[in-house]
Amino acid sequence: MSVQFFPFANVNNTIRLREGKLLVRLSDLLEGAPEPVLRAIAHILLAKMYQKPIEPTHAARYRKYILSRAIRRKSHLVRQLRGRKRLAAARGSFYDLDAIFESLNLRFFGGMQARPQMSWSQNRARNLLGHYDPAHNAIIVSRIFDHPRIPRCAVEFIVYHEMLHLRHPVKLNGNRRCVHSAEFQAEERLFPELEQAQRFIRRL
Ligand SMILES: [Zn+2]
């Protein structure tokens, strides 16, 4: 039997039987887990391999541990470092997102914003035009904007909006998450071609 901790990108555990030898790999996020949790994992893996029912107490113990705040925080960090999310280049076939970021940075932020990774989305998403991904510190813009028919101000507006998200972290208003606060919206209105860009984006 060989058991090792392994640097998976996520909390992940595997078990295989090869030529009479059991090969077990446990996420290295589970190093230092209390013994009852390790026992639960062993039970779950063996049950899976032999297609036997998993005892609910073991399943619950494992779930509770990996959903704990400390493990969730560690796994977020690890995803950031090891995550294999493929980010496309900033330079599309028509627009260069790095160049757009830097020109907006100079025009609106005195060149003071640190540039995250800029990337075109993998597919031509219409439901998610742009977003900021904190795990990869990346601004991702839908590839439908990388087209000569799209006016530059529309791409700029999407990037500008995401840059404002970097400046205005989500606020808690009572129990409600306030994503676009009053200050956020006031700053958004400073964009000169706001109406033109929004009109175009609505038509997409
Ligand atoms: Zn937003």
Side-chain angles (χ1 to χ4, degrees), residues 160-172:
Y160 181 66
H161 181 97
E162 297 311 320
M163 290 172 83
L164 292 182
H165 275 304
L166 291 174
R167 283 167 65 82
H168 299 272
V170 174
K171 279 191 194 140
L172 281 178

Side-chain angles (χ1 to χ4, degrees), residues 100-156:
I100 285 179
F101 182 99
E102 287 311 339
S103 82
L104 292 167
N105 199 3
L106 284 177
R107 275 166 72 197
F108 298 101
F109 307 104
M112 294 302 283
Q113 275 224 36
R115 188 174 77 229
Q117 210 170 336
M118 303 297 295
S119 168
W120 292 104
S121 67
Q122 299 290 338
N123 46 28
R124 302 170 48 80
R126 281 175 183 275
N127 53 345
L128 189 62
L129 302 179
H131 70 284
Y132 173 69
D133 173 351
H136 296 85
N137 186 33
I139 288 178
I140 293 143
V141 178
S142 170
R143 201 171 280 281
I144 57 172
F145 285 93
D146 187 27
H147 193 280
R149 215 183 47 230
I150 305 280
R152 187 181 174 90
C153 74
V155 192
E156 284 181 343

Side-chain angles (χ1 to χ4, degrees), residues 164 168-169 171 173 178-190:
L164 292 182
H168 299 272
K171 279 191 194 140
N173 196 347
C178 181
V179 179
H180 302 116
S181 63
E183 304 90 86
F184 181 109
Q185 291 176 41
E187 218 174 320
E188 193 173 54
R189 283 192 292 273
L190 298 177

